[in-house]
Amino acid sequence: MAVVFDAQSSADTTGAAAVSFSNSTNLTIGTGTNRALIVLIAWSSTAPTGISITWDGVALSAVSGASSVNGTAGNTKIYGLVNPNSGTKTLAGSWTGSRDFYVAGIAYTGVEQSSAANAFTSGNFANGGSASASIGMDPAFGDTALGNANVAIMGAAANFSSVTEGIQVFLDNTQTAKGCGARIAGSNSIIHLTASLTSANWTVSACQIVQAVISAVSSDCVTLMGIG
């Protein structure tokens, strides 16, 4: 079963010098099977502490390895939830220490449901200081990666202009540190999620969303033979 894009936030939620957010209108999750929710979030400055991200009151888990910070480019993280409640619900978050922030959600179907750790893998990050923020995603599992999906959240010290590799989830230059999110389907070779910007420090966090494993139905066959 391949991972299939369901929905993404109609717009990112952003704020300045904030310690929380709550939005009940920007994302509607469908009723498909094996659902999952990914939340991309970027803060100015270093990572805050005491972070809590919820969907309809249910806590999301931080994706292991998908966290990065690079000075004036800020801090980026990814959170995930398997089997999120369907509908137009509230995406909310809080943390300690005021920060400018950007946040957006992406919903998928066909995702592994055994645990968040199994559903959201290959968490990694990249930092740089140029006019192209980019991260390479290694499929790691060969042909099986064709059914997976990949996401990234980017922060930068200067304005983003466009997503050049992948599909744009959001692009927002409102706050001091800038934010951009992207997604792309799986591949059996290394792929990139890339955004162009005015040359400056940038930081990217990314992960892979793993397709649900469908167990094969086995049957036993017994043959009775008699000799007359």
Side-chain angles (χ1 to χ4, degrees):
M1 175 181 287
V3 174
V4 177
F5 170 74
D6 174 38
Q8 66 186 40
S9 296
S10 57
D12 64 297
T13 301
T14 186
V19 294
S20 66
F21 71 90
S22 180
N23 182 278
S24 303
T25 60
N26 285 2
L27 179 62
T28 301
I29 296 180
T31 58
T33 58
N34 297 317
R35 297 186 301 277
L37 171 64
I38 282 284
V39 171
L40 311 176
I41 187 162
W43 291 278
S44 62
S45 185
T46 56
T49 59
I51 302 164
S52 172
I53 308 296
T54 62
W55 171 257
D56 197 25
V58 180
L60 280 73
S61 300
V63 176
S64 179
S67 176
S68 183
V69 63
N70 187 17
T72 53
N75 170 242
T76 56
K77 286 182 180 289
I78 300 177
Y79 287 77
L81 176 66
V82 295
N83 195 30
N85 292 334
S86 298
T88 307
K89 308 295 185 180
T90 299
L91 178 60
S94 62
W95 52 87
T96 300
S98 61
R99 301 284 194 283
D100 298 356
F101 75 94
Y102 306 94
V103 64
I106 315 170
Y108 292 93
T109 60
V111 179
E112 173 61 32
Q113 297 289 294
S114 57
S115 70
N118 291 333
F120 314 118
T121 66
S122 303
N124 61 351
F125 67 90
N127 291 321
S130 64
S132 180
S134 184
I135 192 165
M137 299 297 292
D138 188 335
F141 301 109
D143 288 344
T144 59
L146 285 168
N148 296 341
N150 304 273
V151 297
I153 173 68
M154 309 174 191
N159 287 358
F160 286 103
S161 55
S162 66
V163 172
T164 55
E165 292 182 88
I167 298 170
Q168 181 176 304
V169 176
F170 79 94
L171 190 157
D172 195 335
N173 295 316
T174 304
Q175 310 302 337
T176 303
K178 318 308 178 182
C180 181
R183 58 182 174 87
I184 196 168
S187 171
N188 59 2
S189 60
I190 293 177
I191 57 176
H192 290 83
L193 287 157
T194 306
S196 60
L197 65 146
T198 305
S199 186
N201 286 344
W202 53 262
T203 186
V204 183
S205 296
C207 76
Q208 190 168 89
I209 299 96
V210 178
Q211 61 185 313
V213 176
I214 305 300
S215 300
V217 177
S218 62
S219 60
D220 295 324
C221 179
V222 178
T223 303
L224 299 178
M225 295 182 290
I227 300 176

